Amino acid sequence: MTDRILIVDDERHILSGMKAMLRRNFSVETALGSEQGLEMVRSSGPFAVVLSDLKMPGMNGIEFLTKVRELSPATVRIMLTGHGDLDAAVKAVNLGEVFRFYTKPCSSEVLGEALKAGLEKYRKDASVEDSAFFKALQKLAAANRPDPEVSADNRGAEEQDNTLSLRERTIAAMIRKGSSTKEMAEHLNISPRTVETYRDNIRRKLGLAGRKVNLQSVLISVEE
């Protein structure tokens, strides 16, 4: 399991300062800009936490962290910016599923606590990946992968990935325990609408789309 942290910014002196500030307590690597950051995620990942600036040329932090999520779903994403932009914060949370959002200047104490929380979340997510419930859930999803030979709409069905993402499996586990949409949204730092989107994805991947079946009951019945 990795505890490495990647910091991405388009200013060298900021990267140098943050690395010097954090390297005593964390395993820190840096990338100059979003493009180099993506290349490091591809070639040197996974990273437990990626901390990114918002305002960067070419690809901004929201776009960058959204791509990081696609490449490494388990990586915890944190946004740091000098602009206290609420709209940017909402987009970062909803599109990039950002774990935390901080504005500059950010003290070493605050940043250190954020990174510790990010590492703790990464370790927790990684540990639940091995649970019997999650493995059984993935098996059920695989069994419901559409057959391109018989699907009414088989456009690309032979290439459809029916694997549940880490976030979908986490939400499935919370639904199974009876958590409300509001509770899941608050716990995962996402909007209720995003939770509903994940819920719809889970139903589809489990072969329940269009069926009047209680999702919680189905999840409770999944054998561990």
Side-chain angles (χ1 to χ4, degrees):
M1 186 182 299
T2 181
D3 280 340
R4 294 184 303 146
I5 294 167
L6 177 65
I7 302 176
V8 183
D9 199 292
D10 63 316
E11 298 186 49
R12 292 183 185 276
H13 71 280
I14 290 179
L15 290 176
S16 298
M18 293 184 71
K19 186 170 185 178
M21 178 176 67
L22 298 169
R23 64 186 177 187
R24 178 175 296 180
N25 298 314
F26 302 96
S27 175
V28 176
E29 298 180 42
T30 61
L32 185 63
S34 53
E35 292 295 341
Q36 186 178 109
L38 283 180
E39 179 56 34
M40 289 187 67
V41 171
R42 292 189 186 100
S43 62
S44 304
F47 290 93
V49 179
V50 172
L51 171 66
S52 172
D53 187 27
L54 172 62
K55 300 292 185 179
M56 295 186 289
M59 184 189 307
N60 65 35
I62 298 173
E63 296 167 330
F64 166 66
L65 290 179
T66 300
K67 289 184 180 295
V68 170
R69 183 193 65 183
E70 295 170 357
L71 292 169
S72 181
T75 294
V76 177
R77 296 164 293 280
I78 297 176
M79 180 75 74
L80 188 63
T81 178
H83 306 268
D85 188 334
L86 180 59
D87 289 339
V90 172
K91 288 181 180 179
V93 170
N94 289 338
L95 297 179
E97 294 184 8
V98 171
F99 175 60
R100 297 282 173 85
F101 187 99
Y102 295 96
T103 56
K104 299 176 183 177
C106 189
S107 69
S108 59
E109 290 79 10
V110 170
L111 194 55
E113 288 302 315
L115 294 178
K116 287 179 182 177
L119 289 173
E120 182 178 349
K121 182 179 187 305
Y122 180 82
R123 293 171 187 140
K124 181 179 179 180
D125 288 347
S127 65
V128 297
E129 278 288 87
D130 291 328
S131 75
F133 170 67
F134 276 6
K135 290 179 180 178
L137 194 61
Q138 288 291 42
K139 186 177 180 179
L140 179 60
N144 283 283
R145 185 172 185 264
D147 186 343
E149 297 297 325
V150 299
S151 174
D153 180 8
N154 62 9
R155 185 173 48 209
E158 66 277 6
E159 297 179 356
Q160 181 175 337
D161 183 4
N162 217 43
T163 303
L164 274 74
S165 68
L166 173 62
R167 180 55 57 87
E168 288 165 351
R169 296 194 294 279
T170 301
I171 288 177
M174 296 182 74
I175 292 172
R176 189 178 192 233
K177 294 178 180 178
S179 298
S180 68
T181 296
K182 181 179 179 182
E183 289 170 338
M184 288 186 280
E186 291 177 349
H187 178 76
L188 298 170
N189 291 315
I190 58 179
S191 69
R193 180 177 296 180
T194 301
V195 172
E196 291 301 325
T197 298
Y198 280 120
R199 188 193 297 269
D200 290 342
N201 288 342
I202 293 167
R203 292 186 66 90
R204 174 179 58 80
K205 292 181 178 182
L206 296 183
L208 304 176
R211 295 172 55 186
K212 293 183 179 180
V213 178
N214 183 276
L215 180 57
Q216 183 184 11
S217 297
V218 172
L219 294 172
I220 289 174
S221 70
V222 173
E223 294 184 3
E224 296 189 11

